[in-house]
Amino acid sequence: MFVENETNEKSEARSNTNAVPEPYSIFDKRQKALIVFIAATAATFSGFASNIYFPSLATISEDLGVSVELVNLTITSYLIFQGLAPSIWGPLSDAKGRRITYFCTFLVFLGACVGLALTPNYATLIVLRSVQSSGSASTIAVGSAVIGDITTREERGGYMGIFQAGLLAPAAVGPVIGGALANALGWRAVFWFLAIYCGAFLVVLIISLPETLRTIVGNGSASPSNPIARYPLTLYQRTTKIKFSPQAQPVQAAKKATIDIAGPIRILFSKQAAPVVIFAAIYYAVWQMSITAVSVLFSERYGLSETQIGLTFIANGAGSVIGTLITGRILDADYRRVKVKHEAEASQSGSETETEQSSQPEHDDVNFPLETARLRLLPLLALLQCVSIVTFGWTIQYHVHIAVPIVTTFITGWMVVSIVSVITTYLIDVFPQHKAASSATVNLARCLLAAGGTSIVTPIIGSVGVGWTFTIAVAAQLVALVGLAIQWRFGGKWRVEAEEAKVGAAQSKE
């Protein structure tokens, strides 16, 4: 998508040593903060639509006259479409723009919420939950792509941490709001709340979010021709743009891409992504199994009400938010440390001059040890999650004081969202031309596995008990570490091979 533009910019920079380098993004810190805030708020809808629902499972079961297992299938259907929908919306976002994709997804979500608030039976409930998921889930992929549009690798980890914190905040407050609304006004009030929240935010998004897709606006300096890509606060945007030298010409948008719906599937099955994506998906699925089981287990074994169950989710949500913020900062620090070391080694070897290094786009250097810079934390995060999950299962099995399993949900939330955040950031670095599609790939794998896990967790608990259920889950997590090891060992080599193949294909066309 960007090959021609990047090659031209690179050759121009080398031929004219006096040329002023154009910034990767023209937005300053204030403007980036606004964009990240909007993207993070948009992402809250996915978490709210999922987590706000958990305390009401037993009540919905009684009201609609179906079993808890059938109500749990609405979680399964939600997760299935949460995985599938971004595979459509993500490529649309990469081709047509972030703003129009956001607008379409929120219209779908709004309509589904109104329908759910009025749903008369279980069949309507499960269908509209799937539609609702199709609208809300894509905010994660599109939001991740927006962050990738406006940030360099060096700062991306921190901004992704902030974005993930917004995405995961509903894990803390969503169940509390849901439990309170269900107790006071009934479970349908949960969906009226989401409909009102969506309508109000959609107005804010249309007014405040600029188009960031680099094939449309370049680094932000190109003016979009499509009226939908424009937004009302252009005057404010101009006051917050980075001031650059008159010698530097605005970066023009690259040739527009076509919608590639198969893109996320190809990324998922590529050797550059498959091992680490499967690793993340298994850890995410086990987490979803644990929080799905919490509502019923805490109700049956500890006698908690809907409101009390909602309060227990605060620990999980707090761990998720705190963990991703801290992990984002560590990612940035790791990247800077590895970058300094890599540049020093390159300088000593004489493979590149300082001028050539400084003029290269951030993703040109395929020899950069990206796996070292991004994946170093994952083994520790994975092992800590394993410990917390197995502790969660056996403490509930033996009816240990409820404070202990609640603390384990804090640890699990911290670890798993950090794992997903790290891998999402890594894939955006590996596939810079397909940011939304690479994020959709993570969604696809983790949500489909989670859908399977949540559909079987209750029957397994009924057969072998809570302790053994989550012991088996941890065994699967330990096996998944093999995927991480493969990525660490061969990821750099595979990236080099993919770049060489791309260059060879481009030369053969010429």
Side-chain angles (χ1 to χ4, degrees):
M1 193 188 309
F2 304 113
V3 173
E4 293 181 4
N5 284 58
E6 289 168 357
T7 303
N8 291 337
E9 291 167 14
K10 184 175 178 180
S11 60
E12 289 172 5
R14 287 179 176 175
S15 63
N16 184 5
T17 57
N18 294 322
V20 179
E22 182 71 12
Y24 184 78
S25 172
I26 61 168
F27 303 122
D28 70 0
K29 288 185 178 180
R30 240 187 337 150
Q31 182 75 0
K32 285 182 180 179
L34 174 64
I35 294 171
V36 173
F37 173 77
I38 294 171
T41 306
T44 63
F45 284 87
S46 180
F48 266 128
S50 177
N51 291 301
I52 203 172
Y53 184 68
F54 288 148
S56 304
L57 295 179
T59 304
I60 293 173
S61 170
E62 295 175 4
D63 191 33
L64 297 182
V66 295
S67 66
V68 174
E69 286 77 12
L70 283 177
V71 177
N72 280 347
L73 286 180
T74 65
I75 300 175
T76 302
S77 68
Y78 185 94
L79 288 168
I80 290 173
F81 281 86
Q82 190 178 42
L84 295 175
S87 298
I88 299 174
W89 294 115
L92 175 67
S93 168
D94 282 336
K96 300 300 180 181
R98 315 304 184 196
R99 278 175 58 84
I100 188 172
T101 306
Y102 267 136
F103 181 72
C104 293
T105 57
F106 276 112
L107 283 182
V108 171
F109 180 81
L110 179 60
C113 287
V114 173
L116 284 164
L118 301 172
T119 185
N121 52 51
Y122 173 76
T124 306
L125 177 73
I126 196 168
V127 170
L128 287 180
R129 278 289 284 174
S130 301
V131 176
Q132 184 190 43
S133 176
S134 300
S136 66
S138 302
T139 58
I140 303 173
V142 180
S144 298
V146 168
I147 305 302
D149 290 337
I150 64 173
T151 61
T152 63
R153 280 182 181 177
E154 194 165 350
E155 62 183 348
R156 188 168 295 149
Y159 280 112
M160 282 296 294
I162 296 171
F163 170 72
Q164 292 283 343
L167 164 63
L168 296 161
V173 300
V176 178
I177 296 172
L181 286 172
N183 265 347
L185 302 172
W187 61 269
R188 295 176 189 274
V190 168
F191 297 111
W192 283 122
F193 167 80
L194 291 174
I196 295 169
Y197 179 34
C198 177
F201 176 74
L202 184 56
V203 174
V204 175
L205 184 142
I206 292 172
I207 294 173
S208 306
L209 182 69
E211 181 58 64
T212 62
L213 180 62
R214 299 181 74 84
T215 56
I216 293 178
V217 297
N219 67 350
S221 57
S223 298
S225 58
N226 187 341
I228 300 177
R230 300 172 187 169
Y231 78 118
L233 293 185
T234 52
L235 181 60
Y236 170 73
Q237 181 184 8
R238 288 171 190 157
T239 67
T240 59
K241 287 179 180 179
I242 291 176
K243 302 297 187 296
F244 51 89
S245 168
Q247 293 177 310
Q249 297 300 315
V251 173
Q252 298 300 312
K255 184 179 179 181
K256 291 184 179 180
T258 56
I259 300 174
D260 183 11
I261 295 178
I265 303 294
R266 283 202 304 273
I267 293 175
L268 175 60
F269 287 100
S270 70
K271 59 185 179 182
Q272 294 170 265
V276 76
V277 169
I278 293 173
F279 160 79
I282 291 174
Y283 278 74
Y284 182 86
V286 172
W287 177 50
Q288 284 293 310
M289 290 169 65
S290 68
I291 62 176
T292 299
V294 158
S295 296
V296 175
L297 291 174
F298 281 3
S299 175
E300 293 180 350
R301 306 202 178 202
Y302 293 94
L304 301 188
S305 67
E306 287 176 323
T307 302
Q308 290 172 326
I309 291 171
L311 291 172
T312 65
F313 280 88
I314 292 177
N316 177 71
S320 302
V321 172
I322 294 171
T324 191
L325 288 173
I326 293 176
T327 301
R329 291 185 175 274
I330 295 174
L331 272 179
D332 282 349
D334 275 353
Y335 186 89
R336 287 191 293 269
R337 177 180 56 80
V338 174
K339 181 180 179 181
V340 168
K341 182 179 178 181
H342 175 68
E343 289 178 348
E345 292 175 350
S347 177
Q348 290 176 0
S349 65
S351 59
E352 291 183 319
T353 66
E354 292 183 6
T355 302
E356 288 174 331
Q357 286 179 352
S358 62
S359 65
Q360 281 187 335
E362 62 160 0
H363 49 272
D364 265 12
D365 188 2
V366 294
N367 294 312
F368 181 82
L370 190 59
E371 287 69 30
T372 303
R374 293 300 194 209
L375 306 181
R376 181 181 68 90
L377 279 178
L378 290 181
L380 176 62
L381 297 174
L383 291 174
L384 288 175
Q385 186 187 339
C386 288
V387 172
S388 66
I389 285 291
V390 77
T391 303
F392 169 83
W394 287 107
T395 51
I396 293 179
Q397 177 78 33
Y398 289 106
H399 212 279
V400 176
H401 191 280
I402 194 171
V404 180
I406 288 176
V407 169
T408 65
T409 64
F410 174 86
I411 298 171
T412 301
W414 182 320
M415 299 306 120
V416 72
V417 301
S418 296
I419 289 171
V420 173
S421 179
V422 168
I423 291 174
T424 302
T425 305
Y426 170 75
L427 290 181
I428 289 175
D429 291 344
V430 174
F431 302 98
Q433 301 171 15
H434 307 283
K435 299 180 182 73
S438 62
S439 180
T441 298
V442 180
N443 273 341
L444 178 64
R446 67 186 175 91
C447 291
L448 291 183
L449 279 185
T454 56
S455 67
I456 64 174
V457 64
T458 301
I460 294 177
I461 289 174
S463 298
V464 301
V466 186
W468 281 113
T469 296
F470 289 102
T471 300
I472 294 169
V474 166
Q477 288 183 313
L478 292 174
V479 173
L481 284 170
V482 174
L484 178 59
I486 292 172
Q487 193 77 35
W488 182 277
R489 175 66 179 82
F490 299 105
K493 175 185 175 183
W494 290 336
R495 283 189 294 106
V496 172
E497 290 175 352
E499 182 64 23
E500 291 175 348
K502 184 171 68 174
V503 172
Q507 290 176 345
S508 64
K509 288 182 180 180
E510 296 175 358

